[in-house]
Amino acid sequence: MLTALANTLPHFRHTQSGQFFLMAGPCVIEGEDMALRIAERIKHLTDKLQIPYIFKGSYRKANRSRLDSFTGIGDEKALRILQKVGREIGVPTVTDIHESEEAALAAEYVDVLQIPAFLCRQTDLLIAAAKTGKVVNIKKGQFLSGEAMKFAVDKVQESGNMNVILTERGNSFGYSDLVVDYRNLPAMQRFGVPVVMDVTHALQKPNQSSGVTGGQPALIEIIAKAAIAVGADGLFIETHPTPTTALSDGANMLPLDQLEGLLQRLTRLRDAVRPTGEVSAQGLNA
């Protein structure tokens, strides 16, 4: 599974089906039963719709507004659950890392190492992730343009790892809000790597006065449809059986029972907008 993922990711935009891929799961690993149940349900849906699937779950949440916010059930316990999901459900897995020394540890359990948006410029972290040989998913900083992410890609690839994904998740705009500039998707695709739209984090309302991040989950379908229309290679969606009881980021997660209908509509949209041939930017501007 690891080798297949590493060989396939650079070519997701050129698969015969032309289908987008999906990174989805809970914000954070809350327990084994829930993780397996979510992964199994999403795997069933994505198999039916022929959508390549990567299970997402954070083993630890290091970036919290308040000291008393939930951060995880324990690093190795959560990582072992991620490993079990991968083996039993038969899907690749992704989790985020925050410090250079976490890269080697997490790489023992998962297939994709994710670099959080706030840390996308951290050279030592990117190099450590690259040197594990795992696929590296770098989230674009809320403070950066798509074009600026070239340097993050270069740091990983020049460290000997060509398996890179870039993920758009919105830009800071005013106070406690984000806005998505869809120009960033084609801008980052020019680097020759798959580009993902992080649908749910793009709808966060960070830095609320309560110290708990808010969100706008009613707009999930709008953000996802726009990303597919623009040509995103993949979507990132956090989902939970009951977001209101989720231990992290429940305010912007998609209820699990709404995922099937959303994916059905998105696959139809992908079929409708898939180009019959490549058109260069020069051709469009001529």
Side-chain angles (χ1 to χ4, degrees):
M1 183 172 62
L2 303 182
T3 302
L5 178 65
N7 289 338
T8 302
L9 278 171
H11 307 290
F12 265 159
R13 293 206 303 279
H14 309 288
T15 58
Q16 187 174 3
S17 69
Q19 188 58 275
F20 61 89
F21 64 96
L22 178 68
M23 293 183 180
C27 177
V28 64
I29 298 298
E30 300 178 7
E32 182 177 303
D33 290 345
M34 179 176 289
L36 288 168
R37 187 166 75 251
I38 293 172
E40 184 175 29
R41 175 59 179 160
I42 300 176
K43 178 67 159 53
H44 173 74
L45 299 177
T46 52
D47 281 353
K48 184 165 63 172
L49 296 169
Q50 297 184 315
I51 298 171
Y53 173 48
I54 303 170
F55 176 81
K56 182 270 167 184
S58 297
Y59 74 92
R60 172 158 47 89
K61 301 302 293 184
N63 177 25
R64 303 287 86 187
S65 296
R66 290 173 22 176
L67 187 61
D68 61 352
S69 295
F70 177 78
T71 58
I73 60 175
D75 291 0
E76 291 203 34
K77 182 178 180 181
L79 286 167
R80 284 195 296 270
I81 290 171
L82 282 161
Q83 184 180 58
K84 187 170 184 177
V85 167
R87 289 175 175 173
E88 293 197 2
I89 308 301
V91 294
T93 55
V94 56
T95 198
D96 30 0
I97 58 173
H98 308 87
E99 309 253 357
S100 301
E101 57 268 24
E102 295 176 26
L105 172 64
E108 295 179 20
Y109 298 91
V110 301
D111 308 296
V112 182
L113 298 179
Q114 182 167 284
I115 308 301
F118 283 124
L119 302 177
C120 68
R121 287 170 53 95
Q122 296 298 102
T123 301
D124 289 348
L125 180 60
L126 290 166
I127 292 173
K131 289 188 177 300
T132 66
K134 296 302 175 82
V135 176
V136 182
N137 179 33
I138 313 170
K139 287 197 172 184
K140 183 185 72 62
Q142 300 93 326
F143 43 86
L144 290 176
S145 67
E147 289 84 356
M149 289 302 291
K150 177 184 185 298
F151 305 106
V153 173
D154 288 346
K155 288 175 183 178
V156 174
Q157 293 184 340
E158 290 173 13
S159 298
N161 188 336
M162 302 304 291
N163 292 306
V164 181
I165 305 171
L166 291 178
T167 295
E168 164 67 29
R169 52 97 71 237
N171 281 75
S172 296
F173 183 73
Y175 293 92
S176 301
D177 202 2
L178 297 168
V179 67
V180 178
D181 182 348
Y182 284 95
R183 295 176 299 177
N184 285 325
L185 274 66
M188 293 191 291
Q189 284 173 331
R190 294 190 187 104
F191 308 143
V193 301
V195 173
V196 173
M197 180 69 229
D198 183 343
V199 177
T200 46
H201 284 98
L203 291 168
Q204 283 184 329
K205 290 281 192 177
N207 303 318
Q208 298 297 300
S209 59
S210 65
V212 178
T213 297
Q216 296 177 295
L219 298 178
I220 286 174
E221 184 159 343
I222 291 173
I223 295 293
K225 283 181 174 178
I228 293 300
V230 170
D233 302 300
L235 297 177
F236 181 110
I237 298 175
E238 287 190 338
T239 183
H240 191 282
T242 53
T244 56
T245 66
L247 299 179
S248 178
D249 278 5
N252 55 274
M253 282 202 279
L254 180 74
L256 185 59
D257 63 5
Q258 295 180 20
L259 183 61
E260 181 173 12
L262 175 62
L263 292 178
Q264 289 173 339
R265 293 187 290 276
L266 292 173
T267 55
R268 289 197 296 269
L269 177 61
R270 182 61 168 235
D271 289 341
V273 302
R274 184 184 298 128
T276 56
E278 293 292 329
V279 180
S280 69
Q282 286 184 335
L284 289 172
N285 295 328

